[in-house]
Amino acid sequence: MGDREKNVGFAAALNILFTFIELIGGFLTNSLALIADALHDFADSFALIIAWYAEKKAKKPATSKMTFGYRRLSLLSATFTIIVLVAGSLFVLTQAVPRLISPEPVNAEGMVLIAVIGITINGLGYFRLKKGISQSEKVLSWHLLEDILGWIVLLIGSIIIRFWDKPIIDPIMTIGFTVFVLWGVSKNAKEIFNLLLEGVPEYIDIDEIKKSILSVEGVKMVHDLHIWSLEGETVLLTAHVVVEDKYLQTLDKMRQSIKSNLEGHHIEHSTLELEGEGLCSATECLFESKK
């Protein structure tokens, strides 16, 4: 079992455990913030299980039908997690707004205790996932960080309720936390949709890639350059590279030099077609030749 799969599985187990603790605590304290977040976490737990399953299957080798293997399952699981988070957040908002009009008393002492437990458990999951580089790990670690910040706010709010008797703080915290979750999800969704559309990953600078290829001795021009990622971690590149005619006898050596340069830019898999100077027309070349 790989580290990525273990990390997602660990986060899933923690989330499931705390969902039950939070749900029971929410009913005992009559806190909408706890109950709503428990329902939110229940949906998250389901999403985490799907993510864990996808990470496990993503390790399967390529086949004659799935020539890239199943790595993109990781990206699909991240997409599913975002959908669940958005749906859960909208449900939370429908439950919190009425309590702004008619606040109900809550057990602040119990809320303080559960908030401390929440910070501890989510903190363990966050520090386990924060070093991950797949989209699933990024989305899940961001969510756990949101939970930690939310629990800190809930802890502060519980103290205010306890000493100043302000139960309206409970729905206010719920709405504020939910809006923050939606904001974070929107940021992750942008990059996930970019990857689904096979766009250039946000951490890849295509201009630097071009310069790296053109820096190889004998390279004159680059066109039909395409860069995409299977799941946000494995980056692929295809390109047509125009070389000086005198280098056509050493294409293997030139191809290896280009690939070595690309590895320094996180390009793990590259397919290069090397062409002589007379094979590229001005209309098909996307980049200007090297000065």
Side-chain angles (χ1 to χ4, degrees):
M1 184 181 294
D3 289 339
R4 184 168 61 184
E5 182 186 337
K6 289 180 180 178
N7 289 342
V8 175
F10 179 75
L14 281 180
N15 215 68
I16 293 170
L17 170 64
F18 189 63
T19 294
F20 288 103
I21 296 175
E22 188 178 16
L23 185 61
I24 294 172
F27 281 112
L28 292 177
T29 62
N30 193 37
S31 169
L32 178 62
L34 290 178
I35 295 174
D37 198 58
L39 294 174
H40 188 199
D41 279 346
F42 178 77
D44 291 346
S45 297
F46 182 70
L48 282 163
I49 292 173
I50 297 297
W52 175 81
Y53 178 78
E55 295 290 353
K56 184 177 180 179
K57 290 298 181 182
K59 294 295 185 181
K60 292 178 62 177
T63 67
S64 59
K65 295 294 185 181
M66 304 292 290
T67 56
F68 276 120
Y70 294 83
R71 294 187 181 184
R72 183 147 282 203
L73 281 173
S74 173
L75 190 59
L76 293 177
S77 72
T79 304
F80 178 77
T81 302
I82 283 180
I83 293 173
V84 171
L85 287 174
V86 171
S89 296
L90 293 177
F91 174 76
V92 166
L93 288 176
T94 64
Q95 301 301 304
V97 172
R99 282 217 183 181
L100 286 175
I101 302 173
S102 302
E104 297 183 12
V106 296
N107 184 327
E109 291 87 350
M111 291 175 65
V112 169
L113 176 61
I114 295 175
V116 172
I117 298 175
I119 292 171
T120 303
I121 291 180
N122 284 282
L124 289 174
Y126 171 73
F127 285 112
R128 183 71 176 266
L129 284 174
K130 73 171 185 175
K131 295 181 180 179
I133 57 178
S134 72
Q135 282 301 312
S136 280
E137 288 172 303
K138 288 180 179 179
V139 171
L140 297 176
S141 65
W142 172 258
H143 173 60
L144 290 174
L145 177 59
E146 290 171 340
D147 278 351
I148 293 171
L149 296 176
W151 283 114
I152 292 174
V153 172
L154 191 142
L155 177 62
I156 296 172
S158 301
I159 294 173
I160 294 175
I161 295 172
R162 169 64 180 82
F163 291 101
W164 285 275
D165 191 24
K166 297 291 183 180
I168 196 173
I169 295 294
D170 186 60
I172 289 175
M173 289 190 300
T174 303
I175 294 173
F177 171 71
T178 303
V179 171
F180 181 70
V181 168
L182 290 173
W183 174 75
V185 166
S186 68
K187 292 179 61 179
N188 285 288
K190 180 180 178 181
E191 176 61 8
I192 287 175
F193 292 150
N194 175 57
L195 294 175
L196 284 173
L197 294 175
E198 298 191 338
V200 178
E202 62 179 1
Y203 56 89
I204 297 293
D205 187 332
I206 194 168
D207 291 328
E208 290 299 319
I209 297 295
K210 170 198 167 184
K211 292 178 182 178
S212 180
I213 296 175
L214 292 174
S215 69
V216 176
E217 183 179 355
V219 173
K220 296 290 292 182
M221 194 178 299
V222 182
H223 67 97
D224 288 343
L225 175 61
H226 303 283
I227 303 173
W228 73 102
S229 177
L230 295 179
E231 79 293 53
E233 179 180 354
T234 305
V235 183
L236 302 94
L237 175 149
T238 62
H240 287 210
V241 181
V242 181
V243 302
E244 296 177 23
D245 290 340
K246 65 180 181 179
Y247 288 91
L248 293 178
Q249 303 303 316
T250 58
L251 292 184
D252 288 340
K253 181 178 179 181
M254 179 166 287
R255 185 180 291 107
Q256 187 56 49
S257 296
I258 296 173
K259 285 178 174 286
S260 296
N261 283 4
L262 292 175
E263 289 175 358
H265 295 276
H266 307 288
I267 306 297
E268 298 184 17
H269 181 86
S270 58
T271 302
L272 304 170
E273 183 171 336
L274 304 186
E275 306 171 339
E277 293 179 84
L279 297 178
C280 177
S281 67
T283 56
E284 73 176 328
C285 294
L286 301 180
F287 295 103
E288 296 182 357
S289 59
K290 181 171 59 177
K291 304 298 183 181

